[in-house]
Amino acid sequence: MDKTYIIANWKMNPALLKQTEHLFEAVSSQVKNSGNTKTIVAPPFVWLSLIAHRFSERKIGLAGQDCFWEDKGAFTGAVSPVMLKELGASFVIIGHSERRKYFCESDETINKKVKAALKHRLKPILCLGEEARDAFDSQGRPINEMSLAVGEQLKKGLADVPSNRLEEIIIVYEPVWAISTHSDGKACLPDDAMKAALFIRKTLSSLYSRSLAEKAAIVYGGSVNSKNVASFLKEAGMNGVLVGSASLSASEFVKIIKIASEDCHSRTVLK
Ligand code: PGA
């Protein structure tokens, strides 16, 4: 059976060391080794190092929230995939919309990061998503924001990534307008997430092959909580969720993991 990924993106939280230890301890003590569900936490870099050392016996995978594309050198403030790997991270989030917005990341730099992560056997968690909901042009014709943005980000983000590495990449469909800080906690509809996943599979099928597209792991992000997680896994057939604000409450995040572990999903299928 396919894996279900439950990924916590802590962003620039918690602010204090004690809170970080507390949060990680509270979550990791509840995570069981469940064959098909993989829990991953992406703390800020400084806390990642601490967690990796203090909690060496853990069932939770660790992810960086970003990485640079060079291994080392004169790149002030940057963290390389080699360093993340050295700390025990197995994953790295790349191209989150906040990185694209506040750190001016382009599809080209994101592509370099994806390739650098793969080079060092870190699994990229590649984020894609449109800024705004669908709109209408001046003639009143609908503009499909999702396919325009996601198609472009996917093609450019995966440029020169060989087909034999595709299965190492987790693709996140995360519409920017549905992220809790923009949407007051309103997620996108499961049906729309399913359409986006299908669109991503079709694009992957044209870039690679149908069988690779069918196997790809596509997860949903944007205002996920314990009340809506089942709808994204079951109704929308997503291969997991990326959780921001709800992952900062240990009890809420543990609930999400439990629901996901009990759930069996079916993938969105290409027609
Ligand atoms: P959210 O954040 O769950 O708070 O919407 C998700 C994200 O930005 O990764």
Side-chain angles (χ1 to χ4, degrees), residues 9 11 96-98 127 174 178-181 183 221-224 242-247:
N9 178 12
K11 308 192 179 186
H96 189 280
S97 59
E98 286 148 18
C127 298
E174 185 165 76
I179 293 178
S180 61
T181 40
S183 73
S223 298
V224 173
L242 176 66
V243 191
S245 61
S247 71

Side-chain angles (χ1 to χ4, degrees), residues 99-200:
R99 298 287 320 172
R100 293 177 191 260
K101 180 174 174 190
Y102 299 115
F103 301 91
C104 306
E105 295 202 2
S106 66
D107 288 318
E108 288 68 30
T109 57
I110 288 162
N111 174 247
K112 285 187 183 185
K113 292 177 178 196
V114 168
K115 289 188 284 191
L118 288 171
K119 178 176 151 203
H120 295 288
R121 302 269 159 203
L122 270 179
K123 294 191 167 115
I125 301 171
L126 174 63
C127 298
L128 318 167
E130 74 280 12
E131 285 281 331
R133 281 176 202 258
D134 289 354
F136 294 89
D137 68 11
S138 54
Q139 317 288 311
R141 290 174 299 223
I143 302 168
N144 190 337
E145 300 280 353
M146 184 278 289
S147 59
L148 286 176
V150 170
E152 177 97 346
Q153 291 167 357
L154 187 62
K155 281 180 205 149
K156 291 187 172 168
L158 293 181
D160 303 321
V161 171
S163 56
N164 64 344
R165 308 302 302 274
L166 188 64
E167 64 182 359
E168 294 164 57
I169 302 176
I170 300 170
I171 296 173
V172 185
Y173 170 60
E174 185 165 76
V176 181
W177 52 266
I179 293 178
S180 61
T181 40
H182 305 285
S183 73
D184 277 339
K186 278 208 187 86
C188 101
L189 295 174
D191 202 41
D192 290 336
M194 186 164 77
K195 282 186 196 140
L198 200 54
F199 172 78
I200 291 170

